[in-house]
Every structure is written in structure tokens, then in C-alpha cells.
């Protein structure tokens, strides 16, 4: 497997493209910016709240008040929800705090 030249569209999405020497199949690795946008979309359109930073975990829990030791989200979406009176949540994986109206998933409560 070796590096391959990217087309104009692939340059927008992939940071590198590799092709198989035997079957000529092409595989690309996404830009970090593209991955960050996917995480944001996953957060916005999910049914239950999930972490703004990692986007993978639904292991979040509600806090009674803000913990000033852990980091806090600077996302505009979180600040808008703070102004609307949303409760504060904390991701147990990356220790990020943020505001969100949606409830944590039922699986997160059982863990």
C-alpha cells in the first residue's frame, strides 16, 4: 500500500490517500477538521446528550453546580443553552463540562 495523488475533492476531505498495489483500492484518512465537524453533528442530532469534545461517549452525568477544577466548554451552543437555563453536564471520559437540555442516556446511568 502506497500513497496516491489526491483529486481536488479528496484534498478537501482527506489529509492523505493510499492505494493498494494489488487491487488499486483507494483509502483516505480524514482531516482533523472534518472529524471535528462530524463530532459536532453527532452532538446536535443525538437523542440523548453526549460529550461536545469527544462526541463518542454518552457517559455523561448531571451536576448540581459547576466544578471549577474541570474544563468548561466554550461552544456557542452550550452558552446559548446556559442562557436558557439548561442544566450542567460532565463527560466522565474527557472531564468536560457543558450545558444541555437533553437527558443523559439510560445506559449511562447504569454504568
Amino acid at each position: 500500500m502506497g500513497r496516491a495523488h489526491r483529486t481536488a475533492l479528496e484534498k478537501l476531505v482527506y489529509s492523505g490517500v493510499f492505494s493498494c498495489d494489488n487491487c488499486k483500492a483507494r483509502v483516505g484518512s480524514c482531516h482533523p477538521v472534518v472529524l471535528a465537524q462530524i463530532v459536532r453533528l453527532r452532538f446536535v442530532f443525538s437523542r440523548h446528550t453526549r460529550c461536545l469534545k469527544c462526541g463518542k461517549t454518552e457517559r455523561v452525568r448531571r451536576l448540581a453546580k459547576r466544578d471549577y477544577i474541570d474544563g468548561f466548554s466554550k461552544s456557542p451552543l452550550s452558552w446559548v443553552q446556559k442562557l436558557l437555563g439548561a442544566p450542567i453536564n460532565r463527560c466522565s471520559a474527557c472531564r468536560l463540562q457543558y450545558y444541555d437540555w437533553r437527558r443523559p442516556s439510560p445506559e449511562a446511568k447504569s454504568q
Side-chain angles (χ1 to χ4, degrees), residues 70-83:
D70 290 339
F72 196 79
S73 172
K74 295 180 176 92
S75 167
L77 184 60
S78 177
W79 285 104
V80 167
Q81 291 195 33
K82 176 186 179 182
L83 293 174

Side-chain angles (χ1 to χ4, degrees), residues 78 80-89 98-102:
S78 177
V80 167
Q81 291 195 33
K82 176 186 179 182
L83 293 174
L84 295 173
I88 191 165
N89 297 300
Y98 62 94
Y99 291 96
D100 194 3
W101 277 108
R102 295 171 293 181

Side-chain angles (χ1 to χ4, degrees), residues 1 3-4 7-9 12 14 20 26 41-44 55 57 60 63 75 79 83 95 110:
M1 186 165 276
R3 283 188 73 92
T7 63
L9 181 62
L12 293 173
Y14 300 120
C20 178
R26 294 171 62 93
L41 286 174
R42 187 183 292 172
F43 171 78
V44 171
T57 184
V60 296
L63 297 176
S75 167
W79 285 104
L83 293 174
R95 299 178 61 173
S110 64

Side-chain angles (χ1 to χ4, degrees), residues 2-17:
R3 283 188 73 92
H5 289 283
R6 296 175 289 166
T7 63
L9 181 62
E10 288 175 337
K11 286 181 182 180
L12 293 173
V13 178
Y14 300 120
S15 61
V17 174

